[in-house]
Amino acid sequence: MPQACAAKVSESRPVDAGDHAAVQALRRVAEGLALAAPRPAPPDPARLAAVLEALPIGVYLVDRDGFVTYANAAATGLIGRPVAGARWCITDRLFASDGTAIAPGEGPMAQALRGAGAPLEPVETIMEREDGGRVALRQHPTPLFDAAGTLVGGFNLLEDISASKQIEARLALSNRRDGLTGLPNRLALGQDLSAHIQAAEQDGQRFGLLRLDIEGFKSLNDAFGPGCGDAVLVEVARRLKAGLPGAAIWRSGGDEFVVVARLDQERNGATGLAERVVSLFRTPFCHGGRAVPIAISGGLARFPEDAADETRLAAGANQALHLAKTTERGSIRMFDPRKQALAEEQRALRQQLRLAIDTGQIGMVYQPLFAKDGSIAGFEALARWRHPVKGEIAPADFIAEAEAAGLIASLDNHILRSACREAASWRNRLSISVNISPLEFLTGDLTERVEAVLLETGLDPERLELEITESIMVSDAEKALAALGRLRALGIGIALDDFGTGYSSLSYLHRFPLTTLKIDRSFVARLGETLESVAITRAVIQLGHALGIRVVAEGVETPEQLDFLIQEGCDLTQGYLLGRPGQAQDYAGAMGRPG
Ligand code: C2E
Ligand code: CA
Ligand code: CA
């Protein structure tokens, strides 16, 4: 008999079966009552019985066979009938806290007597009384031994935890529920979605996950007064509940709803579901007698066809919603696996790009710029990604990705440093042009970084030209102009690239501290085709000269284009006709490159 785990009369109990101080004290009282073994100051059984009767906690005693020998008033009240003489006391309708039924003779008291040495833990149960009422009980069953260590019976303490259980359940419910619409919320969605997937997997069901978003919701309150937004949300929830019986619906965010609906029951599968939801919102929304202009966009992904796990399913619905919002607001779009593949490819590319910058896979080629007399006046550095598997990747395919992934500063910095180091090594003091992303003007430390590179490489600032585009004026023109002014003050040249394709506002031109204007190659390409491009090219050259800025024509591919440009007084020309972008060693002679 492993007595260390069982209660003994003559010693204080070594087992800590419950954390409740009152429960501990009660145990000792009950022990005294059950066995009148000798003690230094034996308790008076009559007084102890009176104490037990007055206790708000249920106490009952059983003999070794489980027959109840005593139950206090609280125990009788909890159980709902007199139990003295009954076996195991409350075995008729007992359930574990997860709802599974406990057979007679398998209850906590019986277990405690049977495995008298096992560690004693309080057990939470639900008892259904004869009158149908339910009580959540925490039971503390304890076997009792006489001084010789023989099992003589046991006692149980019954704590009514119904109230706290109810509060717990209500709290859990309110945590999971949106107060405005009464729908389960985002927290619930996270918990419920995996349960839906599990159930569908087991039953071989198909369902659609639909994400809905109210377009124009943010401006509703401003335009229609407070309360309008709330009314719309309540109405959306009402229509969804009424129109999609059997579907699970959540309010997953401010103006977002999620629906899970079985597809096997839908006549036309996912399309049928989408059509039904669209029809629910056909009737205009009204508030205060006025029509409220909102539209509801949605994205739908199917389980298991589109995705068989929670994360992918949600991502699929998101992707489809994004498509609906960007192509046709107020429509419901289906998940498109090809787009998903594209997005995954893009993600992979970004990851590889990050690595490519660090491992030196991004290199440069140099394209010469020619003066009117046919001599090389300088070079433009152009980035190339030497991908170990895909081969050379053109900047058109990765610059935008680098910008979107927040990698453009480190990329441009890498190019700038390499180009300056290269140019600084030439004997011929030719200019070097480096492209700078418009995003760089938003970060604020561009000038410092350029200055640091010049210091590090020892390149004369007068030889460096940064190529920018008009789009730097879009977000924060003042900041961009201030940065340009500082760069210019260092002696660095500023070229306005792709001139003619952007806003081409003449008012910008005299605000930019420009040294060079680059006519976009699309005008050069059309020189022989349209009179308009002839007129524009001629005007840009004249404009540049009027402002004291030199003019470069890029994309020169034919001798006719070149002749025209030289005739019009264009200062520099660049293009495949004269020189393609190449490795530095290809132009070693012109550069005066060592080695
Ligand atoms: P861009 O600055 O306008 O560069 C000129 C582009 O035109 C280059 O393409 C060049 O190879 C191409 N090109 C040159 N001559 C001709 C010609 O005669 N005909 C035609 N059709 N094309 C010609 P690339 O190297 O593919 O660069 C594309 C764009 O990528 C560049 O346009 C520039 O905006 C950007 N880029 C390139 N390198 C960098 C860089 O290091 N940083 C940043 N931020 N952007 C870069
Ligand atoms: Ca350029
Ligand atoms: Ca250009």
Side-chain angles (χ1 to χ4, degrees):
M1 168 80 52
Q3 293 186 10
C5 290
K8 277 180 103 180
V9 177
S10 53
E11 300 165 11
S12 63
R13 285 186 66 253
V15 175
D16 182 16
D19 48 4
H20 206 288
V23 168
Q24 298 281 345
L26 261 176
R27 278 206 151 114
R28 280 193 283 275
V29 172
E31 283 163 11
L33 189 78
L35 298 164
R39 273 179 185 253
D44 172 2
R47 216 182 305 150
L48 281 175
V51 171
L52 282 179
E53 283 305 308
L55 279 174
I57 288 181
V59 182
Y60 70 88
L61 298 159
V62 293
D63 64 17
R64 55 196 299 168
D65 299 318
F67 288 99
V68 177
T69 54
Y70 168 80
N72 74 350
T76 312
L78 279 173
I79 297 161
R81 60 184 160 88
V83 286
R87 199 167 184 224
W88 301 124
C89 176
I90 50 169
T91 50
D92 14 0
R93 304 276 290 158
L94 195 64
F95 302 89
S97 53
D98 65 1
T100 51
I102 299 173
E106 296 296 329
M109 185 74 253
Q111 301 276 8
L113 288 198
R114 211 169 293 139
L120 296 167
E121 291 291 338
V123 185
E124 287 190 5
T125 55
I126 295 154
M127 174 184 67
E128 197 174 278
R129 303 200 306 204
E130 275 176 7
D131 62 5
R134 284 176 162 239
V135 187
L137 284 181
R138 186 179 292 133
Q139 303 199 30
H140 302 257
T142 309
L144 289 167
F145 305 93
D146 64 12
T150 311
L151 180 75
V152 292
F155 66 92
N156 200 354
L157 308 179
L158 305 177
E159 268 186 279
D160 181 359
I161 54 168
S162 307
S164 63
K165 279 278 157 205
Q166 264 168 20
I167 291 167
E168 223 172 73
R170 226 175 294 141
L171 273 179
L173 210 65
S174 70
N175 271 345
R176 285 172 43 90
R177 209 162 275 282
D178 163 45
L180 181 68
T181 60
L183 290 175
N185 58 17
R186 177 191 287 277
L187 178 76
L189 174 64
Q191 298 164 345
D192 299 347
L193 192 54
S194 52
H196 273 280
I197 289 182
Q198 248 177 4
E201 266 169 355
Q202 271 165 17
D203 306 345
Q205 288 169 9
R206 302 166 55 230
F207 69 81
L209 178 80
L210 177 62
R211 233 191 103 180
L212 296 168
D213 187 280
I214 307 178
E215 302 283 4
F217 184 77
K218 285 182 183 60
S219 45
L220 268 192
N221 286 335
D222 297 342
F224 290 84
C228 177
D230 284 359
V232 165
L233 290 170
V234 170
E235 176 63 8
V236 169
R238 191 195 65 76
R239 290 191 194 184
L240 286 173
K241 276 190 265 189
L244 300 170
I249 305 161
W250 297 262
R251 181 180 169 206
S252 54
D255 56 354
E256 286 175 16
F257 293 83
V258 169
V259 173
V260 161
R262 292 269 303 271
L263 290 180
D264 340 57
Q265 294 166 345
E266 198 66 51
R267 212 176 334 134
N268 294 317
T271 325
L273 174 65
E275 278 166 4
R276 207 139 57 88
V277 173
V278 166
S279 75
L280 294 178
F281 301 115
R282 216 158 264 148
T283 321
F285 284 73
C286 283
H287 184 70
R290 284 193 292 171
V292 177
I294 56 157
I296 299 202
S297 300
L300 182 65
R302 298 162 305 166
F303 174 90
E305 295 95 320
D306 295 333
D309 70 74
E310 211 177 313
T311 317
R312 280 170 188 274
L313 195 63
N318 277 357
Q319 182 233 81
L321 175 63
H322 179 73
L323 191 68
K325 288 172 84 75
T326 48
T327 54
E328 191 189 347
R329 290 172 147 232
S331 68
I332 291 182
R333 287 303 174 101
M334 303 289 167
F335 167 77
D336 181 344
R338 282 166 309 179
K339 287 221 164 52
Q340 183 74 1
L342 220 63
E344 266 161 29
E345 208 172 284
Q346 200 176 43
R347 221 181 355 256
L349 192 78
R350 284 185 193 178
Q351 238 162 23
Q352 292 171 4
L353 188 57
R354 209 176 294 263
L355 205 77
I357 298 170
D358 295 342
T359 56
Q361 284 174 23
I362 309 281
M364 256 143 315
V365 287
Y366 297 87
Q367 186 177 30
L369 283 86
F370 289 84
K372 283 185 223 166
D373 63 5
S375 64
I376 290 178
F379 287 89
E380 177 178 1
L382 295 160
R384 292 291 179 269
W385 180 358
R386 287 160 195 134
H387 193 282
V389 181
K390 295 183 182 161
E392 192 163 277
I393 303 179
D397 297 322
F398 68 86
I399 295 286
E401 287 305 319
E403 286 178 340
L407 296 169
I408 193 67
S410 53
L411 188 120
D412 277 356
N413 228 29
H414 167 73
I415 303 278
L416 181 70
R417 187 180 291 119
S418 317
C420 289
R421 192 178 298 131
E422 172 65 38
S425 74
W426 305 338
R427 274 191 312 278
N428 300 338
R429 289 182 46 85
L430 304 173
S431 69
I432 178 81
S433 306
V434 179
N435 295 281
I436 296 291
S437 160
L439 290 186
E440 298 250 33
F441 287 87
L442 295 175
T443 56
D445 66 341
L446 176 68
T447 11
E448 288 78 3
R449 284 195 283 124
V450 173
E451 227 179 326
V453 167
L454 287 173
L455 263 175
E456 179 192 324
T457 58
L459 183 76
D460 178 358
E462 303 280 342
R463 291 180 56 202
L464 176 64
E465 188 166 65
L466 299 180
E467 297 199 359
I468 57 159
T469 60
E470 284 166 291
S471 53
I472 64 162
M473 298 297 275
V474 175
S475 41
D476 193 343
E478 294 313 313
K479 197 170 171 183
L481 285 173
L484 288 180
R486 285 200 298 277
L487 290 166
R488 201 54 210 102
L490 292 172
I492 297 165
I494 308 290
L496 188 59
D497 206 353
D498 304 340
F499 186 71
T501 56
Y503 307 89
S504 303
S505 159
L506 294 186
S507 68
Y508 284 166
L509 271 188
H510 74 267
R511 294 183 73 193
F512 277 123
L514 294 180
T515 46
T516 304
L517 203 56
K518 291 187 91 166
I519 307 174
D520 189 68
R521 63 175 181 269
S522 59
F523 295 106
V524 176
R526 289 198 299 264
L527 270 181
E529 298 161 18
T530 66
L531 284 176
E532 201 188 18
S533 355
V534 170
I536 291 174
T537 308
R538 184 175 288 148
V540 172
I541 295 170
Q542 285 170 3
L543 179 72
H545 290 164
L547 293 168
I549 302 169
R550 63 180 188 162
V551 180
V552 180
E554 60 179 11
V556 180
E557 294 183 355
T558 67
E560 292 76 24
Q561 290 165 351
L562 182 66
D563 286 348
F564 172 81
L565 290 161
I566 289 178
Q567 202 183 311
E568 292 298 322
C570 189
D571 304 285
L572 297 166
T573 45
Q574 180 184 5
Y576 292 168
L577 174 73
L578 304 156
R580 286 181 174 261
Q583 303 299 322
Q585 58 264 32
D586 299 341
Y587 291 107
M591 291 168 173
R593 202 170 184 265

